[in-house]
Each structure stands twice: as C-alpha cells, then as structure tokens.
Amino acid sequence: MVLRLAENWANGSNRFIRPGEIMLGAWSGDVLVGACGRNVDPYDPHPRAGRVRHLYVAQRARRDGVGRALILAIGEGASEHFDYLNTNAPETAFAFYERVGFVRLERGGHATHRLMLV
C-alpha cells in the first residue's frame, strides 16, 4: 500500500490536490508511523463522493489509536466537499472501520464500507 502511494505520487496520478483532498501523516517523534488520504472517489458517480485512501499504520504503532486518529482527522472538514466517504478495506480491517463509524456495503463494486457525513 505504501509503495502504491509513493508510485502514484511520483507519477502524478494522485497528489491529493483536488478540492477536499488531503494526505495526512502520523508521527511518533521524527518517525512516520501512519498515513491516510482522502480523495474524490473515482469509482462512485455521485459528485460529492469521497474516498479514504492508503490508510496505513506501522506494525509497531498498531493498537495505539493511530488509525482512529487518522480517520477522525480525515473526516474533519470532509462534509464541506463530500456527502460520504467510501473505502475498500481488506476483510481483516472490517471490524476497525465499523468501530470508527463506517457501515458495511453490499459485496461487489469498489467499496466495502461507507461513512455518511451529512
């Protein structure tokens, strides 16, 4: 996931520069321990659909609240640009997303969970 983020940044395909898009990092001292982005959802035809992208927390920082903090920060101000945020989570992360307020969607398509903002 981190490699894909770096590749997309380097090739210019995703720089988180459109209105409402952001990329955040979580730091422990001078060490980056987590990252998460918010994009316009390229798979959802709704004009105010956002997407949580590239949520990653380093193994040593997991279960320390880093993921929750990143998701809360991603949600701040999101309703100015988006009605909801989608994500396509691996099954191992379903419980995490549901604990932070996302609702599971029907299987199929490009999203497993959605967080309503309005």
Side-chain angles (χ1 to χ4, degrees), residues 88-99 104 107 112-113:
N88 190 26
E91 196 165 333
T92 56
F94 282 12
F96 166 77
Y97 279 101
E98 291 162 17
R99 279 193 307 273
R104 193 178 308 191
R107 290 299 245 173
T112 59
H113 290 79

Side-chain angles (χ1 to χ4, degrees), residues 57 59 61-66 99:
V57 177
Q59 186 71 37
R62 292 183 186 165
R63 305 244 181 242
D64 289 344
V66 173
R99 279 193 307 273

Side-chain angles (χ1 to χ4, degrees), residues 80-96:
E80 294 176 33
H81 302 277
F82 306 110
D83 293 337
Y84 53 85
L85 299 175
N86 292 325
T87 193
N88 190 26
E91 196 165 333
T92 56
F94 282 12
F96 166 77

